[in-house]
Amino acid sequence: IWGAASGVSDINQLLSSLPFGAAPQTPSEPVEKPVFTRIKSIKDLDAKLQAAGQSKKPVMLEFYADWCVSCIEMEQSTFHDPGVAKLMSRFTLLQADVTENDDTDQALLKRFGIFGPPAILFFPPQENEMRQYRAVGFMNANDFSSLLDTVLNVKSLTN
């Protein structure tokens, strides 16, 4: 009742609306929510990878679907974590929305040997996927932050 009355729309945030028992929030610098550029096809992906190569930023490609519970959980918790969002800002963010699971979606999944979302792939500027850093399935903010930090510190990304 308290959450509804205080305007909480996410059940995961319910306790933060209580006037007691919640940990005090420390002010921190605001971090913008990561914004992905959606792609649909292999052709879209190739064009975006080429453009990202020109900008010298590494690419993070997320395979996502509206029906994927783990995808939604990562969107709502992992990607909104301030530390994760700050690290993600150093990437060109692409999202392959495979919700429809049509032939185009299947071709994109097949290109990378992925059965379905969630899957996150990393590409250095103007290079092929860094397959050893591929993430498949849900990752919490701490684990995902560590992965992003590892990818960003790969020597080929700093040259």
Side-chain angles (χ1 to χ4, degrees):
I1 295 172
W2 176 265
S6 62
V8 173
S9 62
D10 182 356
I11 196 161
N12 295 324
Q13 300 298 319
L14 179 61
L15 293 178
S16 67
S17 69
L18 295 175
F20 57 88
Q25 299 294 317
T26 55
S28 61
E29 63 184 66
V31 178
E32 289 190 33
K33 174 184 166 189
V35 177
F36 288 85
T37 299
R38 284 207 170 172
I39 61 157
K40 177 65 180 169
S41 66
I42 292 172
K43 183 179 177 182
D44 289 347
L45 174 62
D46 289 342
K48 296 296 183 189
L49 287 174
Q50 186 175 8
Q54 307 280 329
S55 74
K56 306 285 191 225
K57 281 179 87 172
V59 173
M60 182 181 119
L61 170 63
E62 177 198 24
F63 281 84
Y64 168 91
D66 290 341
W67 43 260
C68 169
V69 175
S70 294
C71 298
I72 294 167
E73 187 177 6
M74 284 195 68
E75 294 275 330
Q76 292 178 349
S77 64
T78 305
F79 295 164
H80 284 175
D81 177 84
V84 169
K86 188 173 184 178
L87 288 168
M88 286 175 68
S89 72
R90 297 175 58 193
F91 289 87
T92 295
L93 302 174
L94 301 178
Q95 185 179 69
D97 184 350
V98 296
T99 299
E100 293 179 21
N101 202 26
D102 58 19
D103 290 343
T104 304
D105 295 343
Q106 287 297 312
L108 195 53
L109 289 164
K110 186 177 179 181
R111 176 175 177 174
F112 296 102
I114 296 171
F115 294 104
I120 299 173
L121 287 57
F122 298 96
F123 300 82
Q126 299 177 328
E127 292 184 35
N128 293 324
E129 178 196 0
M130 301 166 66
R131 190 171 169 101
Q132 69 271 32
Y133 300 108
R134 182 182 286 192
V136 177
F138 174 80
M139 290 185 80
N140 66 37
N142 287 338
D143 292 341
F144 194 63
S145 181
S146 293
L147 175 62
L148 292 175
D149 193 47
T150 299
V151 170
L152 286 167
N153 286 308
V154 171
K155 186 163 179 57
S156 66
L157 292 179
T158 58
N159 289 340

